[in-house]
Amino acid sequence: MVCRLCGQRRARRACPALGHEICAVCCGTKRQVEIQCPSDCAYLATAREHPAATAVRQQQRDLELAMQVVRDFNQRQSQVFFLVTTFIVQYRPDLHTLGGQSLIDEDVAEAAAALAATFETATRGVIYEHHAASAAGARLAAALKPVLTEAGQHDGTPFQRDAAVVLRRLEEAARRGDGVNRDNPRALVELLSRIIRQTAETPDQPNGDKSQNEEPSRLIVP
């Protein structure tokens, strides 16, 4: 039986998320990125306990790329970055409206640029809604803006300024594929998916002597 995902290699692994067998390569590379693996998947558990050398190198590379994006961010900017990237990773647009295609980096760039321009304009005391050039980017921006508006409702201009900085940095990363693979239109989206997944899988660290009222940093470190 040929793997239904790649259509090339022999399917040898029963995938509980998809309900059919897939090849080992697709299992390893699409796990928790394109395939939403259940927590009781034996292959997922094995990969977590005994990560392959290639997976370790990928994590190291992801960390380097993530640090390039969040370089010199202050605490609030790091929190906004975590909020925005988590939203993008969890965003599930209607694929019928996208012509059957998943969200790509260009959509992220268009949405980030439009929202950044809107916040930059607001910091100058002018209320004007900037719009993304692409339809997919406009839908993403429309879905993300209420989340950011709610997050910054008590902080006013300082939040808008920080949000604009984060969104411009995200736009920059999306337009260059963040140095991952210029031939992959979802390079940044997949990078963010891996980073969010790795962050979620990292055990909580002891708080030590931190004050209970101190806001924890949400800087993403795989």
Side-chain angles (χ1 to χ4, degrees), residues 83-84 87-88 111 115 139-149 167:
L83 175 66
V84 171
F87 181 89
I88 290 173
L115 289 174
R139 282 189 290 269
L140 175 58
L144 177 55
K145 186 182 178 184
V147 177
L148 289 171
T149 300
L167 290 164

Side-chain angles (χ1 to χ4, degrees), residues 199 201-208 210 216 221:
T199 303
E201 293 174 356
T202 301
D204 293 335
Q205 299 297 322
N207 290 329
K210 286 186 178 181
V221 179

Side-chain angles (χ1 to χ4, degrees), residues 116-129:
T118 296
F119 283 122
E120 288 164 351
T121 302
T123 62
R124 297 192 292 270
V126 179
I127 305 302
Y128 181 80
E129 190 82 16

Side-chain angles (χ1 to χ4, degrees), residues 63-80:
L63 174 58
E64 293 173 359
L65 293 170
M67 295 308 294
Q68 290 178 17
V69 177
V70 302
R71 63 187 184 278
D72 67 29
F73 275 0
N74 60 36
Q75 183 176 3
R76 178 159 51 203
Q77 289 167 350
S78 297
Q79 292 169 344
V80 172

